[in-house]
Amino acid sequence: MRKSILYRMTGSGTKCVLSLVLWVLMSFTGALAQSIEALEYQYDAAGNLIGYTRSVSTGTPVIDSVTPGIINRESTFRVRLTGQNFAGSSVTVDQAGLAVLQTDILSNTELQIFLSVSDDANLGPADINVVSALGQDSAQILVGERLPIISTNPNPILLTVGANPQTVTLSFDQPFAVDQVYAVRLVDDGVASITTTSMTLPAGQTEVTLDITGNALG
C-alpha cells in the first residue's frame, strides 16, 4: 500500500476548514484498485475541532447537473455541481475568459465553484471539468451576454384603469453587437397586462418600447 497526503487550508468568516486528502493505491492479486478518501475537519474561531465529514471516491467523477445553466459576461457566479465521486477533485474550465476563483468540495456528491466571466468571454457553451486521480468528467454551461442596466420612461410608470395602453420606453445602458431577445412578463397580470411575451433589442440600438394596460388598482 502506498499513501501520499495533501493538506489544504480554506477559510470563511469565523470557520476554518482543514481538508486531508488521502490518495490510496492498493494491489490485489495483480489487479490495481484505486480510491480517494477526503476528510473535512471543521474548527471554530478559537481553533477547537467542531466536527468532520468523510468521503470516499472509488471511481471516475460523474457530473449529473450544473446550476445555473447560464452565466453572463462581466459577472461572477456561484455554480453548483451535483454528481458522484467528487472527493479529492479539482475543477477546470477550458474556455478563454472564464476563471475558477474558488472550489469547495461540499461532499462526495456535491461541489460549488466561484466562476468569473470576463467581458470578452466567448459566447455559447463552455466545458466545466471535474478532475481527480481516478479520471474526469465534463459538463457544459452556457455563456450569455452581460446583464444590461435598464431604465424606463416614464418613471415611475402610472397607469389608469380602463384607459388606453400606455407606451413605455425601456432604455439600455449600452448597445449590443447582435440582436438581443428578452422574455417579458409582469409580476401581477391582474393589475396590468402586456400584449407580448418577448421583445427584441436590435443590434446597435439602446431603446425598445412596450405597451402596458392598467387592469385594476394595485
Side-chain angles (χ1 to χ4, degrees):
M1 178 182 295
R2 185 180 68 194
K3 297 185 179 180
S4 62
I5 302 177
L6 168 66
Y7 292 91
R8 175 170 60 87
M9 293 291 296
T10 61
S12 177
T14 59
K15 184 174 71 174
C16 184
V17 178
L18 168 65
S19 297
L20 170 62
V21 180
L22 303 179
W23 305 77
V24 184
L25 303 179
M26 301 169 60
S27 298
F28 299 95
T29 62
L32 182 65
Q34 206 173 32
S35 66
I36 299 175
E37 179 178 358
L39 301 177
E40 296 271 343
Y41 292 96
Q42 298 181 356
Y43 296 86
D44 61 19
N48 302 309
L49 179 65
I50 58 176
Y52 71 91
T53 58
R54 175 178 179 270
S55 300
V56 178
S57 292
T58 57
T60 299
V62 176
I63 304 172
D64 292 331
S65 68
V66 178
T67 307
I70 301 176
I71 55 179
N72 301 91
R73 285 175 168 176
E74 300 184 22
S75 301
T76 298
F77 289 84
R78 181 171 64 179
V79 180
R80 176 176 174 267
L81 283 73
T82 63
Q84 304 172 44
N85 299 319
F86 287 166
S89 297
S90 61
V91 180
T92 64
V93 290
D94 296 332
Q95 186 157 305
L98 303 184
V100 178
L101 304 180
Q102 178 179 324
T103 301
D104 299 319
I105 307 297
L106 304 178
S107 71
N108 199 38
T109 60
E110 182 179 3
L111 64 83
Q112 68 178 15
I113 61 173
F114 289 87
L115 189 60
S116 174
V117 189
S118 69
D119 59 358
D120 59 353
N122 291 336
L123 300 176
D127 286 337
I128 297 179
N129 312 302
V130 177
V131 183
S132 78
L134 305 182
Q136 73 174 60
D137 193 21
S138 300
Q140 289 191 332
I141 194 168
L142 188 64
V143 180
E145 267 289 5
R146 63 177 181 82
L147 295 175
I149 300 173
I150 302 175
S151 59
T152 66
N153 183 26
N155 184 13
I157 302 170
L158 300 176
L159 304 175
T160 301
V161 177
N164 292 330
Q166 178 169 335
T167 298
V168 176
T169 299
L170 304 181
S171 297
F172 291 69
D173 60 323
Q174 295 179 30
F176 292 94
V178 298
D179 290 356
Q180 301 295 306
V181 180
Y182 298 96
V184 181
R185 69 180 182 88
L186 299 178
V187 174
D188 189 345
D189 56 12
V191 173
S193 59
I194 52 179
T195 58
T196 183
T197 57
S198 67
M199 66 180 187
T200 299
L201 178 70
Q205 302 297 310
T206 58
E207 291 186 350
V208 65
T209 60
L210 291 174
D211 289 334
I212 306 178
T213 301
N215 299 327
L217 296 177

